[in-house]
Amino acid sequence: MEETVEDPPISAVLLDHCHFSQVIFNSVEKFYVPGGDITCYYTLTQHFIPRRKDWIGIFRVGWKTTREYYTFMWVTLPTDLNGEAAKQQEVQFKAYYLPKDDEYYQFCYVDQDGVVRGASIPFQFRPENEEDILVVTTQGEVEEIEQHNKELRKENKELKDSCVSLQKQNSDLQAELQKKQEELETLKSISKKLEETMKEQKDCWKTELLQLKEQNQKISSENERLGVRVDQLQAQMSTQEKEMDKLVQRVQERTEQVEQLKKENGQLFLNLTEQRAHQKTLEQAVEEMKQQRTTAAKKQQELTDENFDLSKQLSENKIIYNTLQKEKETLEKENDLLKRENSRLLSYMGLDYDSLPYQAPTSNPGGARQNPGLVYGNPYSGIQESSAPGLLSVKKCPTCKSDFADDVFDHTLEQHVQTPCLNCPICDKTFPAKEKQIFEDHVFCHTL
């Protein structure tokens, strides 16, 4: 938008109150080529009188108030308002300040009260449409034309830059000239008013001179009274200056206090930030402790479940142990009964149970050993030797000390030895490999 020293007078007057027929725009094109200056021609009707602050603006179509102008130029007042030339006016807009898009715009004449007095037909800023022309040239001509075009573009660019600079200088000079003209017109009107005023004052001065002489005496007396009043006012002014100094000092103290409070506020803000960071760290630690507590609770629950399973297994082992203990007592009772039965049978046969070996006695190569007290030997020795081997021929396993009959010793013992055994590490009791569960229960009973 155009940069001016002074903004144009605008208003929020509705379009219904505007008079668009008092200024008529002439020779308005449908479109203007971007990059060039445009001249706006307009005609003032006989019932319209232009004023110094009137202006012409370029508005986008659809505007609502005069504040929506894109750029503007001050109108030039005609020297003779009654002449025919005064009705035909023009104003030039510089290319630098014109719109760069292809929207529709229109000229509007606005008076110094912000009221629109005329509007043009819409127009656009766009380049002309060039018809497609087919030109057949040789390669050399094309290269020559391209080189010439490059030089022309370079020269055109330099000219445009120079033109823009000159347009800007011209616009600044015109604005300054217009301002000077307005100031000159203002000074002329002021000078004319002063001349008229001077004439009137000359007549008044004669009458006033006599009045002044009379008033001079009154003023002299009032001057003395005013001198006393001036002294009083100076004393009051001195007092007020002292109070003002005190107020300034208070303001400075308050300013220092405010600065101190700002520093303390900054320090408190830093402390608050650190506390928030510490609080966040504590919250993270609490969260970690909660997670650890949850993990510990899960682990404790697992240990509780495992302890419950072990207690249950211990109860079952106790039951098994009690059962095995009862079976052991039953077996011991049966073993005592068998021993008694065996002693009774041995006593019946005339043998001592304690003197019986675990293996049958080895027979002499020459027959049965004869009692040295008998000349012809013992007549019942054959009967005893034939009946005793069934009871006395007993052998033990070298590993687990189990008893085996002599007639089945070799075959059964060989199979027994080949079968692996389980030995108790505490009491050296032996169990067959197939009784592994009984062996484990036995070892567990030692730990109770």
Side-chain angles (χ1 to χ4, degrees):
M1 219 174 266
E2 182 180 2
E3 296 293 331
T4 58
V5 178
E6 182 180 3
D7 292 334
I10 56 177
S11 69
V13 178
L14 299 177
L15 299 181
D16 298 336
H17 298 84
C18 297
H19 305 280
F20 295 99
S21 61
Q22 294 181 352
V23 177
I24 299 172
F25 290 90
N26 306 319
S27 303
V28 178
E29 303 291 342
K30 293 182 179 180
F31 65 89
Y32 294 93
V33 179
D37 300 341
I38 62 174
T39 303
C40 174
Y41 300 94
Y42 60 96
T43 302
L44 303 175
T45 60
Q46 59 182 356
H47 301 292
F48 178 74
I49 299 175
R51 290 181 289 180
R52 186 173 57 87
K53 287 292 184 177
D54 293 355
W55 54 281
I56 295 177
I58 296 178
F59 291 78
R60 182 178 293 179
V61 174
W63 56 273
K64 301 297 182 183
T65 66
T66 56
R67 296 188 182 94
E68 300 177 14
Y69 67 90
Y70 186 88
T71 185
F72 77 97
M73 290 295 295
W74 298 107
V75 299
T76 303
L77 294 177
T79 56
D80 186 9
L81 295 176
N82 297 322
E84 186 64 23
K87 305 299 180 181
Q88 303 293 331
Q89 298 291 325
E90 65 181 52
V91 64
Q92 189 177 32
F93 290 88
K94 298 299 180 182
Y96 180 78
Y97 302 103
L98 295 176
K100 303 298 187 294
D101 54 14
D102 57 352
E103 295 290 334
Y104 283 92
Y105 294 88
Q106 63 182 154
F107 298 111
C108 292
Y109 188 102
V110 185
D111 63 7
Q112 67 180 14
D113 296 328
V115 179
V116 179
R117 299 297 181 177
S120 70
I121 62 174
F123 56 87
Q124 289 180 284
F125 293 93
R126 62 180 178 84
E128 297 181 1
N129 294 328
E130 297 180 357
E131 297 180 357
D132 297 334
I133 301 174
L134 179 62
V135 179
V136 180
T137 57
T138 62
Q139 183 66 27
E141 292 177 350
V142 170
E143 293 177 355
E144 184 178 356
I145 291 171
E146 288 180 353
Q147 183 65 27
H148 185 62
N149 287 337
K150 288 181 181 179
E151 294 176 356
L152 290 176
R153 290 193 192 97
K154 184 177 180 181
E155 185 178 358
N156 188 17
K157 185 178 180 181
E158 293 176 354
L159 290 173
K160 283 183 178 180
D161 295 338
S162 177
C163 182
V164 170
S165 178
L166 291 174
Q167 287 175 354
K168 186 176 180 181
Q169 292 178 1
N170 189 17
S171 176
D172 295 339
L173 290 173
Q174 284 183 355
E176 187 177 357
L177 179 60
Q178 187 173 1
K179 184 179 178 181
K180 295 294 184 182
Q181 288 177 353
E182 292 174 356
E183 292 177 355
L184 180 60
E185 292 176 358
T186 304
L187 292 174
K188 286 180 179 180
S189 61
I190 293 172
S191 177
K192 187 175 181 180
K193 290 179 180 179
L194 289 174
E195 288 177 357
E196 294 176 355
T197 305
M198 286 294 293
K199 290 180 181 179
E200 294 176 355
Q201 286 182 352
K202 283 181 180 179
D203 297 333
C204 294
W205 285 349
K206 292 179 180 179
T207 56
E208 289 179 355
L209 183 60
L210 297 175
Q211 294 177 357
L212 289 173
K213 290 179 179 180
E214 295 176 356
Q215 291 178 356
N216 190 17
Q217 297 177 356
K218 296 179 181 180
I219 290 172
S220 299
S221 60
E222 290 181 358
N223 191 16
E224 295 177 356
R225 183 176 60 83
L226 290 175
V228 177
R229 181 60 179 169
V230 166
D231 294 336
Q232 293 176 354
L233 291 175
Q234 286 179 353
Q236 291 179 359
M237 187 178 294
S238 177
T239 305
Q240 289 179 355
E241 287 178 355
K242 293 180 180 179
E243 292 179 355
M244 183 65 71
D245 294 336
K246 292 180 180 179
L247 289 175
V248 170
Q249 187 175 1
R250 289 180 183 177
V251 169
Q252 291 178 354
E253 292 177 355
R254 293 294 175 84
T255 305
E256 293 176 356
Q257 291 178 0
V258 168
E259 293 295 331
Q260 185 65 26
L261 290 174
K262 286 182 179 179
K263 293 181 180 179
E264 292 178 358
N265 190 14
Q267 187 66 30
L268 290 174
F269 180 75
L270 293 175
N271 294 335
L272 180 60
T273 304
E274 293 177 356
Q275 289 179 0
R276 287 179 178 174
H278 184 61
Q279 183 180 1
K280 188 175 181 181
T281 305
L282 292 177
E283 289 177 355
Q284 293 178 356
V286 168
E287 188 66 25
E288 293 177 357
M289 290 178 67
K290 286 181 179 179
Q291 294 179 358
Q292 293 177 359
R293 183 178 179 182
T294 305
T295 306
K298 290 181 179 178
K299 188 172 182 181
Q300 183 178 4
Q301 185 64 30
E302 292 176 357
L303 292 174
T304 303
D305 296 339
E306 185 178 357
N307 188 16
F308 178 75
D309 294 338
L310 292 174
S311 300
K312 185 176 179 181
Q313 186 177 0
L314 180 60
S315 300
E316 293 176 356
N317 289 333
K318 285 183 179 180
I319 295 171
I320 294 171
Y321 173 74
N322 293 330
T323 304
L324 293 174
Q325 191 69 24
K326 291 179 181 179
E327 291 179 358
K328 180 180 178 183
E329 292 175 357
T330 305
L331 292 174
E332 287 178 353
K333 290 179 181 179
E334 292 178 358
N335 191 15
D336 291 338
L337 293 174
L338 291 174
K339 283 182 180 181
R340 291 174 187 172
E341 184 67 21
N342 196 10
S343 299
R344 186 181 64 78
L345 292 174
L346 291 174
S347 298
Y348 177 77
M349 295 175 65
L351 298 175
D352 190 3
Y353 178 79
D354 296 331
S355 62
L356 287 176
Y358 289 98
Q359 295 182 357
T362 305
S363 60
N364 293 327
R369 187 176 63 179
Q370 302 292 331
N371 191 339
L374 297 176
V375 178
Y376 299 100
N378 188 357
Y380 300 101
S381 61
I383 298 172
Q384 295 173 356
E385 291 175 1
S386 62
S387 59
L391 297 173
L392 301 176
S393 298
V394 178
K395 295 184 179 180
K396 288 183 176 290
C397 175
T399 304
C400 61
K401 307 301 180 181
S402 300
D403 296 333
F404 294 92
D406 188 27
D407 55 349
V408 295
F409 179 77
D410 296 332
H411 178 68
T412 305
L413 181 61
E414 182 179 358
Q415 292 181 352
H416 177 72
V417 171
Q418 290 178 359
T419 302
C421 299
L422 301 173
N423 296 323
C424 178
I426 299 174
C427 63
D428 295 332
K429 189 173 182 178
T430 305
F431 297 88
K434 61 183 180 179
E435 297 178 355
K436 183 177 180 182
Q437 184 62 40
I438 299 174
F439 169 74
E440 292 177 354
D441 296 338
H442 171 75
V443 175
F444 180 73
C445 290
H446 286 295
T447 63
L448 298 177

